[in-house]
Amino acid sequence: MRKILLFIAMALFYTVGMAQSERFLVFEFMKVADGMDTDYWETETFFEKIHEQRLESGEIQSWDLWSLKPGGTEQGYQYLTVTVYNDPVKAMAGGDTFEAAKKAYPDMRDEELKIKLKESLSSRELSKRIFLKLVKSTEDNFKMGVGSVMRMNFMEAVEGKFQEYEQAELDVFLPIHQKKVNEESLSHWALARVLMPSGSKARMTHMTFDWFNGYLHYFDTYGHHQAFNVDVETQKKIDAAIKLRDLNWTYLATLKKTVK
């Protein structure tokens, strides 16, 4: 455990100097009980104004709320929030929510705000928090808006093959997805490295993301299982790359709110 924590600390220290040109993401997966969707929506609407203040102060780069599918009460999580930072220290610190809330709601007394913030916790259960660093994405002009669809793939690199797998994503899959973006069958693609949690039970080392304009765009492209339309040599590289990781889970997400 000490070695793992030391590795994370060194990785974060190394990236601080380059943080202005990099992006760090905090994914928070929410469980919302049956019948609590309206309460949860009100909670995130309340927090939306707080995140606007965090954006204005430069604390965050953006904040999004996504609904997840399948997302049933026995299928994991129903909602996801994504907060983007340009600094790993800010991402880990999380910021001062109360100070941002006071600016967002200047007419509310401190005690009222404290009660409101406490009550908001009852509408959902924060089940998983993941810290990531964006590694690479396609070059495009995609403007993510409400209604956009994102496919998230939870990847676990084979033990001892971490760097080899990551390089395969960049050398093999990035050009394929860039071609799809150029052909407009895909809006955007990205690879992110999981910083925390880590360890043998984390079951993920990376995440990949496919963005679409909406579900019509998604089903036009991926409504049925399709093999990559590539030459024999590239297919061999794909087959070899797939053996470097396990695809543990996939969610489809729909963007519901965004602050940017």
Side-chain angles (χ1 to χ4, degrees):
M1 175 61 73
R2 184 174 298 176
K3 290 182 178 180
I4 293 173
L5 292 176
L6 179 61
F7 171 78
I8 293 170
M10 291 176 65
L12 291 177
F13 178 79
Y14 175 77
T15 54
V16 166
M18 302 174 63
Q20 293 301 317
S21 60
E22 296 180 329
R23 286 193 289 171
F24 299 85
L25 305 90
V26 178
F27 278 48
E28 295 181 317
F29 291 85
M30 310 293 184
K31 285 186 177 180
V32 178
D34 289 339
M36 294 295 291
D37 282 272
T38 299
D39 292 332
Y40 177 67
W41 184 261
E42 291 176 355
T43 291
E44 293 298 1
T45 299
F46 172 74
F47 271 96
E48 186 175 10
K49 293 185 68 174
I50 297 174
H51 295 309
E52 288 172 356
Q53 289 297 319
R54 298 176 70 200
L55 176 67
E56 186 175 321
S57 69
E59 179 187 333
I60 66 173
Q61 301 301 298
S62 65
W63 172 88
D64 303 319
L65 171 66
W66 300 81
S67 66
L68 301 176
K69 297 183 183 304
T73 54
E74 295 182 0
Q75 293 173 314
Y77 317 103
Q78 291 75 47
Y79 291 93
L80 163 71
T81 63
V82 179
T83 310
V84 179
Y85 299 81
N86 64 359
D87 185 321
V89 175
K90 290 180 181 179
M92 289 294 177
D96 191 334
T97 300
F98 185 67
E99 287 302 313
K102 289 200 295 185
K103 294 179 181 178
Y105 298 96
D107 296 332
M108 292 183 68
R109 294 182 291 108
D110 285 4
E111 286 304 313
E112 288 181 287
L113 272 176
K114 290 177 182 178
I115 292 172
K116 182 69 174 177
L117 290 169
K118 185 177 181 179
E119 288 177 345
S120 69
L121 299 177
S122 64
S123 66
R124 87 293 189 272
E125 174 190 342
L126 173 54
S127 296
K128 185 187 291 291
R129 181 182 283 123
I130 305 174
F131 295 88
L132 307 104
K133 176 187 175 183
L134 183 67
V135 176
K136 195 73 174 179
S137 62
T138 52
E139 297 181 3
D140 50 68
N141 296 315
F142 179 54
K143 304 297 183 183
M144 185 176 63
V146 172
S148 297
V149 170
M150 172 175 65
R151 187 172 66 179
M152 300 182 295
N153 305 300
F154 294 74
M155 302 293 193
E156 181 182 7
V158 172
E159 187 173 357
K161 300 289 186 178
F162 184 99
Q163 294 295 339
E164 191 176 345
Y165 159 70
E166 190 170 291
Q167 197 61 49
E169 285 283 5
L170 300 178
D171 293 343
V172 179
F173 291 108
L174 175 59
I176 292 173
H177 288 98
Q178 183 66 60
K179 184 173 183 291
K180 287 181 174 291
V181 167
N182 296 343
E183 295 171 346
E184 299 185 351
S185 61
L186 182 68
S187 297
H188 187 69
W189 177 90
L191 167 69
R193 181 188 307 136
V194 176
L195 299 178
M196 292 182 66
S198 60
S200 60
K201 295 184 179 180
R203 298 307 309 275
M204 72 180 79
T205 59
H206 297 78
M207 293 180 68
T208 62
F209 309 92
D210 307 276
W211 273 272
F212 304 87
N213 292 328
Y215 274 105
L216 181 60
H217 188 199
Y218 170 78
F219 285 116
D220 279 348
T221 304
Y222 290 108
H224 303 285
H225 176 72
Q226 296 181 358
F228 290 114
N229 185 21
V230 296
D231 56 55
V232 174
E233 189 61 33
T234 302
Q235 187 61 53
K236 289 180 180 179
K237 294 179 181 178
I238 292 173
D239 295 340
I242 289 174
K243 294 178 181 178
L244 297 173
R245 53 70 170 166
D246 288 327
L247 172 56
N248 288 332
W249 192 262
T250 293
Y251 273 110
L252 284 179
T254 308
L255 185 61
K256 295 296 186 180
K257 289 180 178 291
T258 184
V259 172
K260 56 187 176 183

